[in-house]
Amino acid sequence: TVLRTIERSRITHVLFTSAMMAQILDLPSADRFNLATLRKIIYRGNSLPLNLVKRAIRFFGCGMVQSYGLVESSGVLTFLHPEDHSLDESAPYMRRLMSAGKEAIGVEIRVVDEQGSEIPCGQVGEVVARGKNIFAGYYRDPESTAEVLRSGWLHTGDMASIDEEGYLYLLDRKYDTITVGGIPVYPAEIEKIIAEHFAVAEVAVFPRPDRALGEIPVAVVALKKGEKGDADSLLGYCRRNMAPFKVPRAFEFVPSLPKNSAGKVLKAKLKEKLVRGKLTR
């Protein structure tokens, strides 16, 4: 319906969620539509795997902008602009393509430690922001407001690093971090790598209690239609592409991951089923 509308109404600008754009790319009939009028696509939401971003650039053939932000920041904190959506395979371009871009005009972004002090480039910390777009507070909830608004800075709860050029690299939510033997591991980082596997349609990674290491990562995987996969093959793939302590210790296979109306995976619901052993295989 979306592609048909773009073609019939000669749409020039569209806003997609990341999940919606991924679903369009997987449509068998997608290339039958004429999308020549498209001039710009803005997409936001969970970060797309690098291979999907490349497919989107080739498929849509127009300027693309990735947006990162929170409701509390009026939806805007950073932009990855069209000039950074390049298929140049050199390291700088591929690295930028995996980022959330640079701070928007009028927005200040910092990455800080637990004490709120700014940390050096390349190190992981929490994203904080300030600007005229930041909200005044939660309605009739001063305690929650004080928790996220400190000294004029919005504490996003997102973990990330910033490089020397000012590009922001998001890792995961602060409270989704898995601690494996005292080492912080970010589920989104593992998910991105597993999502690059040719047979994988969707993946979500969760912590599972472990007597020796405290927590270990576990992956819930939905395979692409017609593809076959097993835990051993995915385990071998992970061992070749990530540090040993990040490799999931178990794989659960499901037909699809539960999502909300915006296409965002309902991790809390999935985790509850995983803990109770009620996943539908």
Side-chain angles (χ1 to χ4, degrees), residues 178-186 189-190 213 215-218 238-239 242-249:
I178 302 171
T179 304
V180 182
I183 303 173
V185 174
Y186 302 98
E189 184 181 8
I190 302 173
L213 297 172
E215 291 180 324
I216 54 173
V218 175
C238 289
R239 284 174 173 168
M242 64 183 74
F245 62 90
K246 297 179 182 179
V247 174
R249 305 304 198 272

Side-chain angles (χ1 to χ4, degrees), residues 8 20 28 43-44 46 65 69-70 75-76 102 121 133-134 144 154-155 184 188 211 215 224 246 252-253 264 272:
R8 287 180 177 175
M20 187 177 183
Y43 64 99
R44 57 180 301 130
N46 294 342
V65 178
L70 286 68
V76 175
K102 295 182 177 182
C121 292
N133 59 317
I134 303 301
S144 295
L154 170 66
H155 287 246
R211 293 176 65 182
E215 291 180 324
K224 292 178 181 176
K246 297 179 182 179
E252 299 278 353
F253 293 91
K264 186 175 181 179
E272 181 182 355

Side-chain angles (χ1 to χ4, degrees), residues 2-136:
V2 169
L3 295 180
R4 189 179 299 113
T5 302
I6 292 172
E7 181 181 65
R8 287 180 177 175
S9 300
R10 302 181 61 81
I11 301 297
T12 58
H13 292 67
V14 295
L15 172 64
F16 289 147
T17 64
S18 298
M20 187 177 183
M21 193 159 68
Q23 290 170 339
I24 288 174
L25 293 173
D26 286 337
L27 278 176
S29 60
D31 58 0
R32 297 209 302 255
F33 295 91
N34 182 356
L35 309 179
T37 58
L38 278 179
R39 291 166 52 193
K40 187 169 290 182
I41 292 173
I42 301 175
Y43 64 99
R44 57 180 301 130
N46 294 342
S47 297
L48 286 172
L50 184 59
N51 66 331
L52 275 179
V53 178
K54 290 180 180 179
R55 282 177 59 196
I57 295 171
R58 294 189 186 98
F59 176 77
F60 291 108
C62 66
M64 298 186 66
V65 178
Q66 181 188 166
S67 169
Y68 158 66
L70 286 68
V71 171
E72 292 87 346
S73 66
S74 306
V76 175
L77 287 176
T78 66
F79 288 114
L80 185 69
H81 292 283
E83 57 266 28
D84 291 316
H85 282 77
S86 170
L87 291 173
D88 188 320
E89 292 289 339
S90 62
Y93 283 100
M94 288 299 100
R95 187 171 62 250
R96 291 172 194 163
L97 203 52
M98 292 186 288
S99 78
K102 295 182 177 182
E103 57 191 17
I105 294 174
V107 177
E108 292 182 71
I109 295 285
R110 300 286 185 270
V111 173
V112 301
D113 59 21
E114 289 289 344
Q115 289 71 47
S117 300
E118 187 173 1
I119 59 177
C121 292
Q123 293 189 19
V124 176
E126 183 181 5
V127 179
V128 299
R130 67 181 178 185
K132 293 186 180 299
N133 59 317
I134 303 301
F135 81 146

